[in-house]
Amino acid sequence: MPQQRLGLAEDLMDTERELPLALRAAYLALHRKTDARFAEHGVTADQFVLLASLSRGEALTQRELAERISSDPSTVRAMLVLLEVNGLVQRGSHPTDARAKSVALTAAGKRIHKKLWRSGQPIRGELFASISVEEADTLVLLLRKIESSLNNDVVLA
Amino acid sequence: MPQQRLGLAEDLMDTERELPLALRAAYLALHRKTDARFAEHGVTADQFVLLASLSRGEALTQRELAERISSDPSTVRAMLVLLEVNGLVQRGSHPTDARAKSVALTAAGKRIHKKLWRSGQPIRGELFASISVEEADTLVLLLRKIESSLNNDVVLA
DNA sequence: TATTGTTATACTCTATAACTATA
DNA sequence: TATAGTTATAGAGTATAACAATA
């Protein structure tokens, strides 16, 4: 349960209305700009997040991927099938669990991930243009806090 | 162009990677939780944002709505058609501009907006549970900053 | 000429439920 | 029993381009 925050009721009411909208507006601005930018490469912003999750080189299962990109297994499968058709991803059998699939980037997938990372640089430039390094760190911290409490990764009493 | 931020290159690299992902994770957590919560009322989270934009009572054009919810006219039209079929929204002719349409909530639309606002209270409770009032205000401020610079509402030189 | 909105169209993401096979 | 993944299915949001009507 949140604190009562007595004495700032009006401010709270405003923030209570505005935080969800501000979060949405900021995310959508980033998402659409990224989608538009990556369109010429035939990759969506969401697909890029998947590629980025695999870019460290370790193979992951579809379930692990679903968790990392905040999605669910059937959505991830649909996305992976598209990426596989485009030759960016490979789904092999898992070494120790015959139920699972082991997903990894192909050589083409690695190449395009690097290309997309570079292609997205101007967008990240804009993203960070109006805030300081300290503010950026603060922002990441606060975003993680609200994500955790929304996902009931409860830390509090 | 962003500042160089010399001397903190590694920290910057981390934040540069993590801010987009943290923004995405926080937004999606909120979005999905809201969608799930509103499903029993037959309204999506995005539709709720539309309803909320109209909840002050003033009629808006579809173009104005598109801007407010960070979308585009054809998407807004599709959403409004759905809401109109469900009797939550009315699209009339505009008083002074015959090209435009004047969109407003119906009585049922106003009722369901109120109900949904109440229904979303526990989610907002979670959203604010782990951050202070000051942090919430900071968060809104920073989110608006990055949204502005992404949308080229440029304030800087 | 520019703007508001419509239409047609196509695609991605999303999500549930029933299912198979493995653990 | 529980888990990993598949399949079928359905719907929502997204976006572009061509178009009509009006400003």
Side-chain angles (χ1 to χ4, degrees):
Chain A
M1 214 181 302
Q3 301 161 322
Q4 282 301 107
R5 305 164 198 275
L6 296 174
L8 282 171
E10 283 162 28
D11 268 13
L12 173 60
M13 290 307 284
D14 280 352
T15 304
E16 198 172 343
R17 247 184 266 115
E18 289 167 12
L19 178 50
L21 292 175
L23 180 57
R24 182 176 187 275
Y27 168 72
L28 287 180
L30 175 63
H31 185 78
R32 293 198 172 118
K33 203 140 191 173
T34 305
D35 254 354
R37 183 94 194 182
F38 290 174
E40 63 171 308
H41 302 288
V43 176
T44 68
D46 288 316
Q47 288 169 358
F48 174 74
V49 176
L50 248 184
L51 296 179
S53 303
L54 294 167
S55 67
R56 292 232 166 172
E58 16 158 17
L60 300 174
T61 66
Q62 299 188 178
R63 176 158 293 276
E64 287 168 335
L65 280 171
E67 213 169 298
R68 295 214 187 179
I69 71 165
S70 308
S71 191
D72 71 288
S74 99
T75 300
V76 165
R77 181 199 178 258
M79 295 176 70
L80 287 175
V81 166
L82 284 175
L83 289 172
E84 199 171 33
V85 166
N86 293 338
L88 305 183
V89 141
Q90 196 181 4
R91 295 190 299 156
S93 54
H94 192 276
T96 66
D97 186 340
R99 298 170 306 178
K101 295 214 166 166
S102 197
V103 185
L105 293 186
T106 62
K110 288 176 191 168
R111 276 199 306 275
I112 209 166
H113 169 256
K114 280 181 194 164
K115 186 185 291 186
L116 291 172
W117 176 259
R118 280 196 303 272
S119 170
Q121 182 55 50
I123 298 177
R124 291 192 298 279
E126 287 178 8
L127 187 64
F128 288 93
S130 59
I131 60 178
S132 70
V133 177
E134 293 74 23
E135 286 176 322
D137 288 339
T138 300
L139 188 47
V140 170
L141 185 74
L142 293 176
L143 289 170
R144 285 189 179 146
K145 276 193 185 181
I146 65 177
E147 190 227 336
S148 289
S149 50
L150 282 172
N151 287 337
N152 300 323
D153 306 337
V154 191
V155 186
L156 303 178
Chain B
M1 215 181 302
Q3 301 161 322
Q4 282 300 107
R5 305 166 199 275
L6 296 173
L8 281 171
E10 283 162 27
D11 269 12
L12 172 60
M13 290 307 283
D14 280 353
T15 305
E16 198 172 343
R17 246 184 265 113
E18 289 167 12
L19 178 50
L21 292 174
L23 180 57
R24 182 177 188 274
Y27 168 71
L28 287 180
L30 175 63
H31 185 77
R32 292 198 173 117
K33 203 140 192 173
T34 305
D35 255 352
R37 182 95 193 181
F38 290 175
E40 63 171 308
H41 303 288
V43 176
T44 68
D46 288 317
Q47 288 169 357
F48 174 74
V49 175
L50 248 184
L51 296 179
S53 302
L54 293 168
S55 68
R56 293 230 164 173
E58 15 157 18
L60 299 174
T61 67
Q62 300 188 175
R63 177 159 292 276
E64 287 167 337
L65 279 171
E67 213 170 298
R68 295 214 187 179
I69 71 166
S70 308
S71 191
D72 71 287
S74 99
T75 300
V76 165
R77 182 199 177 255
M79 296 176 70
L80 287 174
V81 166
L82 285 175
L83 290 172
E84 199 171 34
V85 166
N86 293 338
L88 305 183
V89 140
Q90 197 181 2
R91 294 190 297 157
S93 53
H94 192 276
T96 67
D97 187 339
R99 297 170 307 178
K101 294 213 168 168
S102 197
V103 185
L105 294 186
T106 63
K110 288 175 190 168
R111 276 199 306 275
I112 210 167
H113 170 256
K114 279 180 193 164
K115 187 185 290 183
L116 291 172
W117 176 259
R118 281 195 303 271
S119 170
Q121 181 56 50
I123 297 177
R124 290 191 298 278
E126 287 178 9
L127 187 63
F128 288 94
S130 58
I131 60 178
S132 69
V133 177
E134 292 73 23
E135 286 175 324
D137 288 340
T138 300
L139 188 47
V140 171
L141 185 74
L142 293 175
L143 289 170
R144 285 189 179 148
K145 276 192 185 181
I146 65 178
E147 190 228 335
S148 288
S149 50
L150 282 171
N151 287 336
N152 301 323
D153 305 339
V154 190
V155 187
L156 303 178

